[in-house]
Structure formats: C-alpha cells, structure tokens
Amino acid sequence: MRPLHMVDTHSQYHKIKQQVDKAVLDVMESTAFINGPAVQEFSGNLATYLGASHVILCANGTDALQIALMALGLQPGDEVITPSFTYIATTEVIALLKLTPVFVEVDPKTFCIDPAAIEKAITPRTKAIVPVHLYGQSANMEAIMKIAGQHKLYVIEDNAQAIGCNFHFSDGTSKKTGTIGHIGCTSFYPSKNLGAFGDGGALCTNDDALAHKLKMIANHGQQKRYYHDVVGCNSRLDSIQAAILNVKLNYLDGYCDARRTVAAYYDEAFAQTDRIITPFRAANSDHVYHQYTIILEGVDRDAFKTRLDATGVPSMIYYPVPAHKQKMFEQFGVDGLELPLTTYLTERVISLPVHTEMDEEQLKFITDTVLSLI
Ligand SMILES: *Cc1c(COP(=O)(O)O)cnc(C)c1O
C-alpha cells in the first residue's frame, strides 16, 4: 500500500510536475520575482473563477484577515463576532488590531457559526461578523447577510478552508464562498485545497472602494509610490507562488471532486456504526472537504486516537482547544464564557486523511482499521 498521509502534496505535484516546473522556471528566467506578470495573471484568473470583481493577493491567509479588518475603519474596542471553534488565525487578528472578539457558538451539525447565536451577541459596539467556512462547507451566508443588513454590520468571510465551494441561496442562485460577504479571505498554505509551494493568501470583494483600500493597505498604505496615505503593511504573493497557483487553479474543481469521492467512501463505510457521526451535508452548501471530520459518540476520543496512531493511520484533532479557552484571550475576560456545543465538539471530533491522491486500497485500510478500533 502507498504510504498514508493527511495530505499528499508530493504525489499531487508529480501529476502536474512538467507544467509547474515550467511556470517556475519562466519566472526565474524573467527575474520578475515581485509583482511580475504571473501575479497579475493569477489574480485575474482567480477573480474570474470566483466571480468576484476584485482579487488582492497577499502573503498568507492570516494577513488577508488582518488587512480586511484594517480596511473597515474600526475603532479600538469595537466588537467583532466570530466562532470560537476555528483556527486561531481568525480570532488572533481581531485582538491584534485592538478590536474585541466576541466568541459565539457553532451549529454542531455544520461546525459553522450559528446565525441565532450571532443575533444574540449583537450590541451597539458590534461592527463586523467573521464567519468561517470550517472544513470546507459554507456557513449559512443567507441568514448571516440578512442579520448583517439589518444591523449594518460588515461580513468578512474566512474562506481559507473552502475555496471552490458554492453556497446556494433560497431563490435558486449560487455564489462561491468568499464572494458573498463584503470581503472574502483565503489561504494558499500548501495543505489547503488550493495550495502553493510556500505561503500565500488572497482577499476578494465586489466593492470598488473596499478593493482600493485593501490594495493600499497591503502595499504600505500607498497608492502612489512613496506617498503613504494610511497605515498599511507589506503583504505580497511572490511571482513564483502566483505562477504555481495559476497552474493549479485549473485543477481546483477536479481536486474538490477527488475529495468528495474520498468523503463518499468514508460515509458509506461508517454508515454501519452509530458511534461515528459522519459530516453533515447542508442543503444550502457544497462541501469541498478540506477536512473529513467525524464526531465520535460513546468513544473516548483521545484513547481512540492513540490506538489509531499505533496502526499508522494518520489523524488530527482540529481543534482541541477553542479560541475562548486560549490564554491569548484571557485579557478579554472570556475564561468564564460557556460555549457547551463548542466544548462538545472539541472533545469529540477527529479528522481522517482526505486529499486528492487517495486510492481505494488506502481507503479500505483506513476504514477497516477505524471500524475495528471503535
Ligand atoms: C489556514 C487558515 C487560516 C490562515 O491561513 P495562513 O495562510 O496559514 O495564514 C485562517 N483561517 C483558517 C480557518 C485556516 O484554516
């Protein structure tokens, strides 16, 4: 059997090695390492793929979230509502900008922020909502945009795990996640669904004025060279990464399909036990399975993981500690905050390998092993 990994970027690279190598060598030969033609080309192609008016490329997904929040003109102490059950980057940038994170519950089925919990958390200081499309499935963006409209709040989508995912509105129309809120942020970290060969990130928006601000902030607050109008930062996607991503973008829909095939195999194999709750499929969203995350019922999750580790089947706990229990946020007086659904998930979830290069022999071994240990 081919070796098992959580992601197999090596096999994925080898399938498109010739194209990727040529794209990299072309940039090397041009020496246009920063803001070269490959950067313009990729940002145009990504905008077309997403159906967004503007794409602003940047250095990583965390920077994208930070730049998005910087563009909203918020004041210290303004409140930003976000799930506690997420990767730390989503919430960290809020605190970094001296804004106040307000952590709310997720829907235990979709793992994404619960719109009813958002509504309850709104105060006169609330300025923005940052939903996360966790594991590759969209949060309920229709409900979130309705709440945001009623209360005049900004919505910044953390789309780091869901690039390529479609959200379906009740009127029958669909949009790509990341293009529904005021700003969408994504990451090209190598293990993400559209992974670079290093760090990378992007913002997208359909708002011309916001696009202008985002561009300036990512480029030292300047519009004209050496004239700096606002405090910004230095966050760029370099040309080599853009050239690689430009090749890989053509394969993104295929990569999503490959992940869905893996998920369907797992779903079927685990249907026989009620100790495994397989990922919920929301009617209003595609699933691009950045992770295949199950909930274990009536099983000691950590003991199970130790037994699974011993068999050589990789697995990960995303995430063992919710944001509101992190030391980093003690300053916001959230240690007494009770989010029982979030706690329930952090104690019971486990993610199994899902990537674009898995074969049936590997899937059979993983599912047989998991079922024998459960
Ligand atoms: C990966 C990720 C980020 C951050 O992306 P980086 O490129 O690693 O900075 C932010 N939010 C979520 C949900 C992520 O999964």
Side-chain angles (χ1 to χ4, degrees), residues 180-192:
I180 304 164
H182 300 89
I183 304 173
C185 301
T186 201
S187 162
F188 305 119
Y189 185 81
S191 65
K192 297 286 158 85

Side-chain angles (χ1 to χ4, degrees), residues 120-132:
K120 274 190 223 138
I122 293 172
T123 75
R125 295 226 72 169
T126 307
K127 293 289 155 53
I129 308 166
V130 185
V132 182

Side-chain angles (χ1 to χ4, degrees), residues 59-65 86-90 132-134 158-161 186-189 192 199-201 290 319:
N60 56 66
T62 310
D63 273 12
L65 290 159
T86 181
Y87 180 56
I88 197 66
T90 318
V132 182
H133 306 312
L134 203 71
D158 183 342
N159 196 33
Q161 300 190 359
T186 201
S187 162
F188 305 119
Y189 185 81
K192 297 286 158 85
D199 275 309
H290 174 60
Y319 298 90

Side-chain angles (χ1 to χ4, degrees), residues 129-152:
I129 308 166
V130 185
V132 182
H133 306 312
L134 203 71
Y135 305 149
Q137 187 166 243
S138 182
N140 186 347
M141 288 306 294
E142 186 157 1
I144 293 168
M145 292 314 289
K146 194 169 157 216
I147 296 166
Q150 284 163 352
H151 296 270
K152 298 201 165 37

Side-chain angles (χ1 to χ4, degrees), residues 263-281:
Y265 188 101
Y266 282 144
D267 282 353
E268 203 185 316
F270 297 145
Q272 58 174 279
T273 171
D274 52 13
R275 294 178 157 228
I276 298 176
I277 303 176
T278 56
F280 178 74
R281 296 291 312 266

Side-chain angles (χ1 to χ4, degrees), residues 1-291:
M1 186 174 62
R2 290 162 56 231
L4 299 171
H5 307 285
M6 286 303 283
V7 282
D8 186 355
T9 46
H10 189 259
S11 304
Q12 193 190 54
Y13 163 53
H14 274 263
K15 279 193 181 156
I16 54 169
K17 179 174 160 45
Q18 266 190 327
Q19 272 178 292
V20 168
D21 290 2
K22 180 176 185 315
V24 171
L25 289 173
D26 285 352
V27 176
M28 305 249 275
E29 189 53 41
S30 77
T31 68
F33 297 123
I34 302 291
N35 281 330
V39 175
Q40 314 313 320
E41 208 182 315
F42 175 58
S43 95
N45 289 339
L46 184 61
T48 305
Y49 174 84
L50 293 171
S53 320
H54 306 276
V55 162
I56 296 99
L57 300 172
C58 65
N60 56 66
T62 310
D63 273 12
L65 290 159
Q66 181 187 325
I67 293 163
L69 286 170
M70 285 171 80
L72 305 182
L74 307 185
Q75 299 302 313
D78 282 350
E79 293 173 3
V80 179
I81 297 175
T82 189
S84 179
F85 189 58
T86 181
Y87 180 56
I88 197 66
T90 318
T91 55
E92 179 185 38
V93 294
I94 299 170
L96 185 76
L97 296 172
K98 303 266 182 275
L99 305 168
T100 301
V102 175
F103 299 112
V104 303
E105 284 282 33
V106 289
D107 176 329
K109 278 190 182 154
T110 65
F111 307 113
C112 292
I113 195 165
D114 175 7
I118 295 175
E119 260 188 313
K120 274 190 223 138
I122 293 172
T123 75
R125 295 226 72 169
T126 307
K127 293 289 155 53
I129 308 166
V130 185
V132 182
H133 306 312
L134 203 71
Y135 305 149
Q137 187 166 243
S138 182
N140 186 347
M141 288 306 294
E142 186 157 1
I144 293 168
M145 292 314 289
K146 194 169 157 216
I147 296 166
Q150 284 163 352
H151 296 270
K152 298 201 165 37
L153 306 175
Y154 285 109
V155 176
I156 310 292
E157 293 173 78
D158 183 342
N159 196 33
Q161 300 190 359
I163 193 162
C165 177
N166 290 295
F167 180 80
H168 309 292
F169 291 87
S170 50
D171 67 0
T173 60
S174 299
K175 280 186 186 169
K176 286 265 185 288
T177 52
T179 68
I180 304 164
H182 300 89
I183 304 173
C185 301
T186 201
S187 162
F188 305 119
Y189 185 81
S191 65
K192 297 286 158 85
N193 287 23
L194 179 59
F197 287 21
D199 275 309
L203 299 117
C204 69
T205 183
N206 291 316
D207 182 316
D208 296 346
L210 273 179
H212 179 72
K213 274 193 203 159
L214 295 170
K215 245 177 246 167
M216 275 176 63
I217 292 169
N219 184 25
H220 297 295
Q222 67 190 336
Q223 187 181 352
K224 192 172 149 199
R225 204 169 203 183
Y226 305 126
Y227 292 81
H228 306 272
D229 299 342
V230 295
V231 174
C233 57
N234 174 25
S235 190
R236 296 185 281 243
L237 182 75
D238 70 62
S239 305
I240 288 179
Q241 297 305 335
I244 295 168
L245 288 165
N246 208 22
V247 171
K248 290 189 73 181
L249 181 60
N250 298 311
Y251 297 94
L252 178 57
D253 285 340
Y255 290 161
C256 293
D257 287 341
R259 288 170 176 276
R260 285 188 196 107
T261 304
V262 171
Y265 188 101
Y266 282 144
D267 282 353
E268 203 185 316
F270 297 145
Q272 58 174 279
T273 171
D274 52 13
R275 294 178 157 228
I276 298 176
I277 303 176
T278 56
F280 178 74
R281 296 291 312 266
N284 59 9
S285 175
D286 294 352
H287 205 319
V288 295
Y289 293 102
H290 174 60
Q291 298 299 340

